Amino acid sequence: MFDPISIIRQLGHATVERIWRLGFATRFLWAVLMHSGSSFRRLPLTLREIYFSGVLSLLIIMVSGLFVGLVLGLQGYEILQRFGSTEALGTLVALSLTRELGPVLAAIFFASRAGSSVTAEIGLMKATEQLKAMDMMAVNPIARVVAPRFWGGVVSMPLLAAIFSAMGVLGGWLIGVIVIGVDDGSYWSQMQASVDFRYDIWNGVVKSFVFGIAVSLIAVFEGYDSVPTAEGVSRAITRTVVTSVLTVLALDFVLTSFMFRGA
């Protein structure tokens, strides 16, 4: 039976809960920033997290970037051929990757691989009461566990996005120049002439840095706030991936709007 009062009540409850979690996440971010100094003083901890989040994600990032470049090369050549400008293939591949696809897809892959792993690790530490044990021994879990993982993700993300874009450009070159036969000189010279460091590469770096902050914060927050059961950790991992993907896409639209220059 249709009950509008019940639906309004549920919507209100869901809205209040989202606002409460947003406020808690903001306070959590502030606590992480306040304890970041101690994580940097324990540099091996942060370097270890950069290795687990960044280095161990290299393979999936490189392979994904290469395949995205191969597809861009094929699709781009087919479209450019209609206008008789196949020599602009390098420009199309490079701008697509540096402006959009590199930062966005790298962030999504990073959330799926490293973000879910961080959430599971912190969630399991909470479920097995390791975080509580640290607290009882006067070891702050935010400084010892959360902050190094947060900064490991923030540092890794721009580097992974740059590698993703580089592999994509290589994939476009392989399919365009080696397989299809586009002129090698035109591919690289058009790319060098069209890609602007400030408006293309630097904007991509800014995007990947913002995405790194968002994905890393969501991963550590969901792990720290997870229900300390197997089901609770599983739900937290799912929330990390879904929330990260939606947040990255929303942030991409906002950042692109600010970076849009028109004609």
Side-chain angles (χ1 to χ4, degrees):
M1 181 179 177
F2 180 72
D3 185 0
I5 301 299
S6 175
I7 294 175
I8 293 173
R9 186 183 298 117
Q10 291 176 7
L11 286 175
H13 176 73
T15 303
V16 170
E17 186 177 350
R18 296 292 182 278
I19 293 174
W20 180 86
R21 281 181 63 81
L22 184 62
F24 185 46
T26 305
R27 290 179 55 197
F28 184 78
L29 174 62
W30 177 251
V32 171
L33 295 177
M34 291 297 291
H35 292 93
S36 294
S38 58
S39 69
F40 285 123
R41 283 195 293 274
R42 298 168 180 166
L43 193 57
L45 285 178
T46 306
L47 292 178
R48 175 181 175 274
E49 298 309 323
I50 292 174
Y51 172 78
F52 280 110
S53 297
V55 177
L56 295 185
S57 301
L58 268 179
L59 183 60
I60 186 174
I61 291 293
M62 292 176 70
V63 173
S64 305
L66 183 64
F67 278 113
V68 169
L70 292 172
V71 173
L72 271 179
L74 285 173
Q75 295 283 10
Y77 181 82
E78 187 177 346
I79 295 171
L80 293 173
Q81 194 179 30
R82 301 175 188 173
F83 305 98
S85 55
T86 55
E87 67 279 359
L89 181 63
T91 301
L92 185 147
V93 171
L95 290 181
S96 301
L97 286 165
T98 55
R99 287 186 178 185
E100 290 299 327
L101 295 180
V104 172
L105 292 181
I108 290 174
F109 287 124
F110 179 76
S112 304
R113 192 266 164 203
S116 59
S117 174
V118 167
T119 301
E121 194 176 4
I122 297 177
L124 286 174
M125 292 177 75
K126 184 177 181 181
T128 53
E129 299 190 344
Q130 295 180 52
L131 299 181
K132 189 177 291 184
M134 284 184 187
D135 210 13
M136 292 177 66
M137 291 186 293
V139 177
N140 191 322
I142 299 288
R144 179 67 176 76
V145 175
V146 175
R149 285 164 176 77
F150 173 77
W151 287 110
V154 172
V155 173
S156 301
M157 187 57 234
L159 300 175
L160 292 174
I163 293 171
F164 185 97
S165 297
M167 291 302 296
V169 170
L170 178 63
W173 176 79
L174 284 174
I175 202 70
V177 176
I178 303 300
V179 178
I180 297 177
V182 174
D183 182 68
D184 191 17
S186 297
Y187 184 87
W188 295 111
S189 62
Q190 290 276 340
M191 184 188 305
Q192 291 173 1
S194 303
V195 177
D196 185 89
F197 179 81
R198 179 182 174 188
Y199 290 108
D200 300 321
I201 296 178
W202 181 247
N203 284 347
V205 172
V206 171
K207 281 186 176 182
S208 59
F209 181 71
V210 174
F211 296 161
I213 293 175
V215 172
S216 301
L217 176 63
I218 291 169
V220 294
F221 173 72
E222 291 293 352
Y224 196 82
D225 190 48
S226 64
V227 177
T229 60
E231 184 183 359
V233 175
S234 173
R235 288 179 181 274
I237 294 171
T238 303
R239 283 199 304 271
T240 293
V241 176
V242 173
T243 308
S244 296
V245 171
L246 294 177
T247 303
V248 165
L249 294 177
L251 284 174
D252 183 50
F253 171 71
V254 173
L255 291 173
T256 304
S257 301
F258 281 107
M259 296 170 181
F260 184 68
R261 291 182 298 164

PDB file of all heavy atoms in Angstrom, residues 100 103-111 157 207-208 210-212 214-215 218 241-256:
ATOM      1  N   GLU A 100      41.547  14.012 -19.886  1.00  0.00           N
ATOM      2  CA  GLU A 100      40.416  13.316 -19.269  1.00  0.00           C
ATOM      3  C   GLU A 100      40.692  11.868 -18.895  1.00  0.00           C
ATOM      4  O   GLU A 100      40.647  11.490 -17.730  1.00  0.00           O
ATOM      5  CB  GLU A 100      39.201  13.369 -20.214  1.00  0.00           C
ATOM      6  CG  GLU A 100      38.584  14.735 -20.350  1.00  0.00           C
ATOM      7  CD  GLU A 100      38.061  15.262 -19.026  1.00  0.00           C
ATOM      8  OE1 GLU A 100      37.604  14.469 -18.196  1.00  0.00           O
ATOM      9  OE2 GLU A 100      38.134  16.484 -18.817  1.00  0.00           O
ATOM     10  N   PRO A 103      43.662  10.789 -16.049  1.00  0.00           N
ATOM     11  CA  PRO A 103      43.338  10.976 -14.625  1.00  0.00           C
ATOM     12  C   PRO A 103      42.096  10.208 -14.172  1.00  0.00           C
ATOM     13  O   PRO A 103      42.099   9.598 -13.098  1.00  0.00           O
ATOM     14  CB  PRO A 103      43.122  12.496 -14.510  1.00  0.00           C
ATOM     15  CG  PRO A 103      43.850  13.084 -15.657  1.00  0.00           C
ATOM     16  CD  PRO A 103      43.755  12.084 -16.763  1.00  0.00           C
ATOM     17  N   VAL A 104      41.028  10.227 -14.998  1.00  0.00           N
ATOM     18  CA  VAL A 104      39.767   9.613 -14.564  1.00  0.00           C
ATOM     19  C   VAL A 104      39.879   8.096 -14.480  1.00  0.00           C
ATOM     20  O   VAL A 104      39.547   7.482 -13.453  1.00  0.00           O
ATOM     21  CB  VAL A 104      38.614  10.026 -15.510  1.00  0.00           C
ATOM     22  CG1 VAL A 104      37.352   9.241 -15.179  1.00  0.00           C
ATOM     23  CG2 VAL A 104      38.342  11.511 -15.392  1.00  0.00           C
ATOM     24  N   LEU A 105      40.345   7.462 -15.558  1.00  0.00           N
ATOM     25  CA  LEU A 105      40.420   6.001 -15.553  1.00  0.00           C
ATOM     26  C   LEU A 105      41.461   5.491 -14.563  1.00  0.00           C
ATOM     27  O   LEU A 105      41.249   4.466 -13.902  1.00  0.00           O
ATOM     28  CB  LEU A 105      40.725   5.492 -16.969  1.00  0.00           C
ATOM     29  CG  LEU A 105      39.607   5.705 -17.984  1.00  0.00           C
ATOM     30  CD1 LEU A 105      40.001   5.142 -19.342  1.00  0.00           C
ATOM     31  CD2 LEU A 105      38.316   5.040 -17.513  1.00  0.00           C
ATOM     32  N   ALA A 106      42.576   6.208 -14.446  1.00  0.00           N
ATOM     33  CA  ALA A 106      43.584   5.788 -13.460  1.00  0.00           C
ATOM     34  C   ALA A 106      43.005   5.849 -12.042  1.00  0.00           C
ATOM     35  O   ALA A 106      43.266   4.961 -11.213  1.00  0.00           O
ATOM     36  CB  ALA A 106      44.824   6.661 -13.568  1.00  0.00           C
ATOM     37  N   ALA A 107      42.213   6.896 -11.760  1.00  0.00           N
ATOM     38  CA  ALA A 107      41.600   7.014 -10.430  1.00  0.00           C
ATOM     39  C   ALA A 107      40.603   5.888 -10.176  1.00  0.00           C
ATOM     40  O   ALA A 107      40.527   5.343  -9.062  1.00  0.00           O
ATOM     41  CB  ALA A 107      40.910   8.379 -10.295  1.00  0.00           C
ATOM     42  N   ILE A 108      39.835   5.523 -11.204  1.00  0.00           N
ATOM     43  CA  ILE A 108      38.857   4.438 -11.037  1.00  0.00           C
ATOM     44  C   ILE A 108      39.568   3.105 -10.805  1.00  0.00           C
ATOM     45  O   ILE A 108      39.197   2.323  -9.920  1.00  0.00           O
ATOM     46  CB  ILE A 108      37.932   4.377 -12.270  1.00  0.00           C
ATOM     47  CG1 ILE A 108      37.016   5.603 -12.296  1.00  0.00           C
ATOM     48  CG2 ILE A 108      37.097   3.099 -12.259  1.00  0.00           C
ATOM     49  CD1 ILE A 108      36.159   5.723 -13.538  1.00  0.00           C
ATOM     50  N   PHE A 109      40.615   2.847 -11.579  1.00  0.00           N
ATOM     51  CA  PHE A 109      41.381   1.607 -11.372  1.00  0.00           C
ATOM     52  C   PHE A 109      42.080   1.623 -10.008  1.00  0.00           C
ATOM     53  O   PHE A 109      42.185   0.595  -9.336  1.00  0.00           O
ATOM     54  CB  PHE A 109      42.408   1.417 -12.485  1.00  0.00           C
ATOM     55  CG  PHE A 109      41.800   1.030 -13.796  1.00  0.00           C
ATOM     56  CD1 PHE A 109      42.033   1.774 -14.933  1.00  0.00           C
ATOM     57  CD2 PHE A 109      40.975  -0.080 -13.899  1.00  0.00           C
ATOM     58  CE1 PHE A 109      41.471   1.428 -16.155  1.00  0.00           C
ATOM     59  CE2 PHE A 109      40.401  -0.441 -15.111  1.00  0.00           C
ATOM     60  CZ  PHE A 109      40.652   0.317 -16.239  1.00  0.00           C
ATOM     61  N   PHE A 110      42.564   2.794  -9.625  1.00  0.00           N
ATOM     62  CA  PHE A 110      43.235   2.922  -8.332  1.00  0.00           C
ATOM     63  C   PHE A 110      42.255   2.634  -7.189  1.00  0.00           C
ATOM     64  O   PHE A 110      42.588   1.944  -6.222  1.00  0.00           O
ATOM     65  CB  PHE A 110      43.804   4.334  -8.202  1.00  0.00           C
ATOM     66  CG  PHE A 110      44.506   4.591  -6.904  1.00  0.00           C
ATOM     67  CD1 PHE A 110      45.780   4.091  -6.669  1.00  0.00           C
ATOM     68  CD2 PHE A 110      43.898   5.335  -5.905  1.00  0.00           C
ATOM     69  CE1 PHE A 110      46.425   4.313  -5.479  1.00  0.00           C
ATOM     70  CE2 PHE A 110      44.540   5.571  -4.707  1.00  0.00           C
ATOM     71  CZ  PHE A 110      45.810   5.061  -4.494  1.00  0.00           C
ATOM     72  N   ALA A 111      41.028   3.164  -7.313  1.00  0.00           N
ATOM     73  CA  ALA A 111      40.010   2.902  -6.280  1.00  0.00           C
ATOM     74  C   ALA A 111      39.655   1.426  -6.224  1.00  0.00           C
ATOM     75  O   ALA A 111      39.468   0.863  -5.138  1.00  0.00           O
ATOM     76  CB  ALA A 111      38.762   3.738  -6.564  1.00  0.00           C
ATOM     77  N   MET A 157      48.786   8.596  -6.708  1.00  0.00           N
ATOM     78  CA  MET A 157      47.771   8.801  -7.746  1.00  0.00           C
ATOM     79  C   MET A 157      48.271   9.622  -8.938  1.00  0.00           C
ATOM     80  O   MET A 157      48.090   9.195 -10.100  1.00  0.00           O
ATOM     81  CB  MET A 157      46.538   9.447  -7.092  1.00  0.00           C
ATOM     82  CG  MET A 157      45.329   9.593  -7.977  1.00  0.00           C
ATOM     83  SD  MET A 157      44.771   8.065  -8.673  1.00  0.00           S
ATOM     84  CE  MET A 157      44.781   8.524 -10.388  1.00  0.00           C
ATOM     85  N   LYS A 207      43.959  17.436 -11.640  1.00  0.00           N
ATOM     86  CA  LYS A 207      42.826  16.508 -11.510  1.00  0.00           C
ATOM     87  C   LYS A 207      43.237  15.230 -10.780  1.00  0.00           C
ATOM     88  O   LYS A 207      42.544  14.767  -9.858  1.00  0.00           O
ATOM     89  CB  LYS A 207      42.292  16.145 -12.899  1.00  0.00           C
ATOM     90  CG  LYS A 207      41.410  17.193 -13.533  1.00  0.00           C
ATOM     91  CD  LYS A 207      40.827  16.658 -14.827  1.00  0.00           C
ATOM     92  CE  LYS A 207      39.868  17.654 -15.443  1.00  0.00           C
ATOM     93  NZ  LYS A 207      39.260  17.138 -16.683  1.00  0.00           N
ATOM     94  N   SER A 208      44.345  14.643 -11.199  1.00  0.00           N
ATOM     95  CA  SER A 208      44.761  13.371 -10.582  1.00  0.00           C
ATOM     96  C   SER A 208      45.108  13.571  -9.110  1.00  0.00           C
ATOM     97  O   SER A 208      44.861  12.675  -8.287  1.00  0.00           O
ATOM     98  CB  SER A 208      45.949  12.781 -11.342  1.00  0.00           C
ATOM     99  OG  SER A 208      47.042  13.675 -11.336  1.00  0.00           O
ATOM    100  N   VAL A 210      43.667  15.824  -7.063  1.00  0.00           N
ATOM    101  CA  VAL A 210      42.372  15.942  -6.360  1.00  0.00           C
ATOM    102  C   VAL A 210      41.702  14.573  -6.251  1.00  0.00           C
ATOM    103  O   VAL A 210      41.163  14.207  -5.194  1.00  0.00           O
ATOM    104  CB  VAL A 210      41.463  16.950  -7.088  1.00  0.00           C
ATOM    105  CG1 VAL A 210      40.070  16.968  -6.460  1.00  0.00           C
ATOM    106  CG2 VAL A 210      42.074  18.345  -7.058  1.00  0.00           C
ATOM    107  N   PHE A 211      41.752  13.799  -7.343  1.00  0.00           N
ATOM    108  CA  PHE A 211      41.161  12.455  -7.304  1.00  0.00           C
ATOM    109  C   PHE A 211      41.879  11.585  -6.269  1.00  0.00           C
ATOM    110  O   PHE A 211      41.244  10.771  -5.582  1.00  0.00           O
ATOM    111  CB  PHE A 211      41.260  11.785  -8.676  1.00  0.00           C
ATOM    112  CG  PHE A 211      40.475  12.472  -9.757  1.00  0.00           C
ATOM    113  CD1 PHE A 211      40.758  12.243 -11.093  1.00  0.00           C
ATOM    114  CD2 PHE A 211      39.447  13.353  -9.443  1.00  0.00           C
ATOM    115  CE1 PHE A 211      40.042  12.872 -12.084  1.00  0.00           C
ATOM    116  CE2 PHE A 211      38.730  14.000 -10.434  1.00  0.00           C
ATOM    117  CZ  PHE A 211      39.031  13.757 -11.768  1.00  0.00           C
ATOM    118  N   GLY A 212      43.199  11.752  -6.168  1.00  0.00           N
ATOM    119  CA  GLY A 212      43.959  10.976  -5.188  1.00  0.00           C
ATOM    120  C   GLY A 212      43.522  11.278  -3.766  1.00  0.00           C
ATOM    121  O   GLY A 212      43.383  10.369  -2.940  1.00  0.00           O
ATOM    122  N   ALA A 214      40.545  12.455  -2.850  1.00  0.00           N
ATOM    123  CA  ALA A 214      39.173  11.966  -2.658  1.00  0.00           C
ATOM    124  C   ALA A 214      39.143  10.447  -2.464  1.00  0.00           C
ATOM    125  O   ALA A 214      38.528   9.950  -1.508  1.00  0.00           O
ATOM    126  CB  ALA A 214      38.319  12.372  -3.864  1.00  0.00           C
ATOM    127  N   VAL A 215      39.817   9.717  -3.341  1.00  0.00           N
ATOM    128  CA  VAL A 215      39.773   8.251  -3.272  1.00  0.00           C
ATOM    129  C   VAL A 215      40.465   7.753  -1.996  1.00  0.00           C
ATOM    130  O   VAL A 215      39.966   6.840  -1.321  1.00  0.00           O
ATOM    131  CB  VAL A 215      40.435   7.639  -4.525  1.00  0.00           C
ATOM    132  CG1 VAL A 215      40.571   6.121  -4.367  1.00  0.00           C
ATOM    133  CG2 VAL A 215      39.623   7.967  -5.768  1.00  0.00           C
ATOM    134  N   ILE A 218      38.179   8.457   1.022  1.00  0.00           N
ATOM    135  CA  ILE A 218      37.041   7.526   1.064  1.00  0.00           C
ATOM    136  C   ILE A 218      37.500   6.143   1.525  1.00  0.00           C
ATOM    137  O   ILE A 218      36.834   5.492   2.341  1.00  0.00           O
ATOM    138  CB  ILE A 218      36.374   7.454  -0.329  1.00  0.00           C
ATOM    139  CG1 ILE A 218      35.682   8.774  -0.646  1.00  0.00           C
ATOM    140  CG2 ILE A 218      35.368   6.306  -0.397  1.00  0.00           C
ATOM    141  CD1 ILE A 218      35.219   8.901  -2.084  1.00  0.00           C
ATOM    142  N   VAL A 241      34.400   1.479  -3.416  1.00  0.00           N
ATOM    143  CA  VAL A 241      34.507   1.469  -4.880  1.00  0.00           C
ATOM    144  C   VAL A 241      33.401   2.317  -5.511  1.00  0.00           C
ATOM    145  O   VAL A 241      33.661   3.175  -6.366  1.00  0.00           O
ATOM    146  CB  VAL A 241      34.453   0.017  -5.400  1.00  0.00           C
ATOM    147  CG1 VAL A 241      34.473   0.015  -6.922  1.00  0.00           C
ATOM    148  CG2 VAL A 241      35.617  -0.793  -4.856  1.00  0.00           C
ATOM    149  N   VAL A 242      32.147   2.109  -5.063  1.00  0.00           N
ATOM    150  CA  VAL A 242      31.022   2.834  -5.669  1.00  0.00           C
ATOM    151  C   VAL A 242      31.138   4.340  -5.400  1.00  0.00           C
ATOM    152  O   VAL A 242      31.021   5.164  -6.324  1.00  0.00           O
ATOM    153  CB  VAL A 242      29.687   2.294  -5.112  1.00  0.00           C
ATOM    154  CG1 VAL A 242      28.520   3.144  -5.603  1.00  0.00           C
ATOM    155  CG2 VAL A 242      29.493   0.841  -5.531  1.00  0.00           C
ATOM    156  N   THR A 243      31.384   4.706  -4.133  1.00  0.00           N
ATOM    157  CA  THR A 243      31.478   6.132  -3.793  1.00  0.00           C
ATOM    158  C   THR A 243      32.662   6.786  -4.497  1.00  0.00           C
ATOM    159  O   THR A 243      32.573   7.932  -4.953  1.00  0.00           O
ATOM    160  CB  THR A 243      31.627   6.301  -2.263  1.00  0.00           C
ATOM    161  OG1 THR A 243      30.597   5.570  -1.604  1.00  0.00           O
ATOM    162  CG2 THR A 243      31.532   7.759  -1.880  1.00  0.00           C
ATOM    163  N   SER A 244      33.783   6.073  -4.579  1.00  0.00           N
ATOM    164  CA  SER A 244      34.962   6.650  -5.243  1.00  0.00           C
ATOM    165  C   SER A 244      34.689   6.921  -6.714  1.00  0.00           C
ATOM    166  O   SER A 244      35.033   7.996  -7.231  1.00  0.00           O
ATOM    167  CB  SER A 244      36.153   5.701  -5.100  1.00  0.00           C
ATOM    168  OG  SER A 244      36.533   5.549  -3.761  1.00  0.00           O
ATOM    169  N   VAL A 245      34.083   5.964  -7.397  1.00  0.00           N
ATOM    170  CA  VAL A 245      33.810   6.144  -8.837  1.00  0.00           C
ATOM    171  C   VAL A 245      32.870   7.334  -9.056  1.00  0.00           C
ATOM    172  O   VAL A 245      33.124   8.205  -9.904  1.00  0.00           O
ATOM    173  CB  VAL A 245      33.209   4.856  -9.426  1.00  0.00           C
ATOM    174  CG1 VAL A 245      32.711   5.106 -10.852  1.00  0.00           C
ATOM    175  CG2 VAL A 245      34.241   3.732  -9.417  1.00  0.00           C
ATOM    176  N   LEU A 246      31.782   7.397  -8.281  1.00  0.00           N
ATOM    177  CA  LEU A 246      30.836   8.508  -8.448  1.00  0.00           C
ATOM    178  C   LEU A 246      31.478   9.844  -8.085  1.00  0.00           C
ATOM    179  O   LEU A 246      31.248  10.864  -8.752  1.00  0.00           O
ATOM    180  CB  LEU A 246      29.594   8.258  -7.574  1.00  0.00           C
ATOM    181  CG  LEU A 246      28.731   7.062  -7.985  1.00  0.00           C
ATOM    182  CD1 LEU A 246      27.576   6.876  -7.001  1.00  0.00           C
ATOM    183  CD2 LEU A 246      28.188   7.245  -9.399  1.00  0.00           C
ATOM    184  N   THR A 247      32.295   9.849  -7.026  1.00  0.00           N
ATOM    185  CA  THR A 247      32.958  11.089  -6.614  1.00  0.00           C
ATOM    186  C   THR A 247      33.956  11.563  -7.665  1.00  0.00           C
ATOM    187  O   THR A 247      34.038  12.762  -7.967  1.00  0.00           O
ATOM    188  CB  THR A 247      33.682  10.880  -5.271  1.00  0.00           C
ATOM    189  OG1 THR A 247      32.742  10.430  -4.297  1.00  0.00           O
ATOM    190  CG2 THR A 247      34.324  12.169  -4.786  1.00  0.00           C
ATOM    191  N   VAL A 248      34.714  10.621  -8.236  1.00  0.00           N
ATOM    192  CA  VAL A 248      35.690  10.991  -9.271  1.00  0.00           C
ATOM    193  C   VAL A 248      34.980  11.596 -10.482  1.00  0.00           C
ATOM    194  O   VAL A 248      35.411  12.628 -11.026  1.00  0.00           O
ATOM    195  CB  VAL A 248      36.521   9.757  -9.681  1.00  0.00           C
ATOM    196  CG1 VAL A 248      37.266  10.006 -10.990  1.00  0.00           C
ATOM    197  CG2 VAL A 248      37.502   9.404  -8.577  1.00  0.00           C
ATOM    198  N   LEU A 249      33.881  10.985 -10.907  1.00  0.00           N
ATOM    199  CA  LEU A 249      33.158  11.512 -12.077  1.00  0.00           C
ATOM    200  C   LEU A 249      32.559  12.887 -11.779  1.00  0.00           C
ATOM    201  O   LEU A 249      32.588  13.783 -12.627  1.00  0.00           O
ATOM    202  CB  LEU A 249      32.055  10.521 -12.479  1.00  0.00           C
ATOM    203  CG  LEU A 249      32.566   9.167 -12.996  1.00  0.00           C
ATOM    204  CD1 LEU A 249      31.393   8.238 -13.293  1.00  0.00           C
ATOM    205  CD2 LEU A 249      33.414   9.343 -14.243  1.00  0.00           C
ATOM    206  N   ALA A 250      32.010  13.063 -10.564  1.00  0.00           N
ATOM    207  CA  ALA A 250      31.435  14.370 -10.209  1.00  0.00           C
ATOM    208  C   ALA A 250      32.529  15.437 -10.115  1.00  0.00           C
ATOM    209  O   ALA A 250      32.369  16.557 -10.626  1.00  0.00           O
ATOM    210  CB  ALA A 250      30.688  14.255  -8.875  1.00  0.00           C
ATOM    211  N   LEU A 251      33.651  15.084  -9.469  1.00  0.00           N
ATOM    212  CA  LEU A 251      34.753  16.038  -9.364  1.00  0.00           C
ATOM    213  C   LEU A 251      35.334  16.372 -10.734  1.00  0.00           C
ATOM    214  O   LEU A 251      35.746  17.509 -10.984  1.00  0.00           O
ATOM    215  CB  LEU A 251      35.856  15.463  -8.466  1.00  0.00           C
ATOM    216  CG  LEU A 251      35.584  15.474  -6.960  1.00  0.00           C
ATOM    217  CD1 LEU A 251      36.704  14.744  -6.224  1.00  0.00           C
ATOM    218  CD2 LEU A 251      35.487  16.912  -6.447  1.00  0.00           C
ATOM    219  N   ASP A 252      35.353  15.389 -11.627  1.00  0.00           N
ATOM    220  CA  ASP A 252      35.873  15.636 -12.976  1.00  0.00           C
ATOM    221  C   ASP A 252      35.027  16.690 -13.691  1.00  0.00           C
ATOM    222  O   ASP A 252      35.564  17.582 -14.357  1.00  0.00           O
ATOM    223  CB  ASP A 252      35.880  14.325 -13.760  1.00  0.00           C
ATOM    224  CG  ASP A 252      36.472  14.515 -15.141  1.00  0.00           C
ATOM    225  OD1 ASP A 252      37.568  15.104 -15.238  1.00  0.00           O
ATOM    226  OD2 ASP A 252      35.852  14.082 -16.132  1.00  0.00           O
ATOM    227  N   PHE A 253      33.709  16.599 -13.532  1.00  0.00           N
ATOM    228  CA  PHE A 253      32.837  17.602 -14.156  1.00  0.00           C
ATOM    229  C   PHE A 253      33.090  18.990 -13.561  1.00  0.00           C
ATOM    230  O   PHE A 253      33.201  19.983 -14.288  1.00  0.00           O
ATOM    231  CB  PHE A 253      31.369  17.218 -13.961  1.00  0.00           C
ATOM    232  CG  PHE A 253      30.414  18.292 -14.371  1.00  0.00           C
ATOM    233  CD1 PHE A 253      30.231  18.614 -15.705  1.00  0.00           C
ATOM    234  CD2 PHE A 253      29.713  19.016 -13.411  1.00  0.00           C
ATOM    235  CE1 PHE A 253      29.373  19.621 -16.082  1.00  0.00           C
ATOM    236  CE2 PHE A 253      28.852  20.023 -13.783  1.00  0.00           C
ATOM    237  CZ  PHE A 253      28.676  20.336 -15.122  1.00  0.00           C
ATOM    238  N   VAL A 254      33.201  19.055 -12.232  1.00  0.00           N
ATOM    239  CA  VAL A 254      33.416  20.355 -11.582  1.00  0.00           C
ATOM    240  C   VAL A 254      34.761  20.956 -12.007  1.00  0.00           C
ATOM    241  O   VAL A 254      34.852  22.136 -12.386  1.00  0.00           O
ATOM    242  CB  VAL A 254      33.374  20.190 -10.047  1.00  0.00           C
ATOM    243  CG1 VAL A 254      33.754  21.497  -9.363  1.00  0.00           C
ATOM    244  CG2 VAL A 254      31.981  19.747  -9.601  1.00  0.00           C
ATOM    245  N   LEU A 255      35.821  20.146 -11.971  1.00  0.00           N
ATOM    246  CA  LEU A 255      37.145  20.658 -12.329  1.00  0.00           C
ATOM    247  C   LEU A 255      37.207  21.057 -13.796  1.00  0.00           C
ATOM    248  O   LEU A 255      37.806  22.082 -14.152  1.00  0.00           O
ATOM    249  CB  LEU A 255      38.203  19.590 -12.033  1.00  0.00           C
ATOM    250  CG  LEU A 255      38.436  19.291 -10.549  1.00  0.00           C
ATOM    251  CD1 LEU A 255      39.364  18.095 -10.379  1.00  0.00           C
ATOM    252  CD2 LEU A 255      39.031  20.510  -9.853  1.00  0.00           C
ATOM    253  N   THR A 256      36.582  20.240 -14.658  1.00  0.00           N
ATOM    254  CA  THR A 256      36.576  20.583 -16.091  1.00  0.00           C
ATOM    255  C   THR A 256      35.825  21.885 -16.334  1.00  0.00           C
ATOM    256  O   THR A 256      36.211  22.674 -17.205  1.00  0.00           O
ATOM    257  CB  THR A 256      35.929  19.436 -16.898  1.00  0.00           C
ATOM    258  OG1 THR A 256      36.628  18.221 -16.628  1.00  0.00           O
ATOM    259  CG2 THR A 256      35.991  19.718 -18.387  1.00  0.00           C
TER     260      THR A 256
END
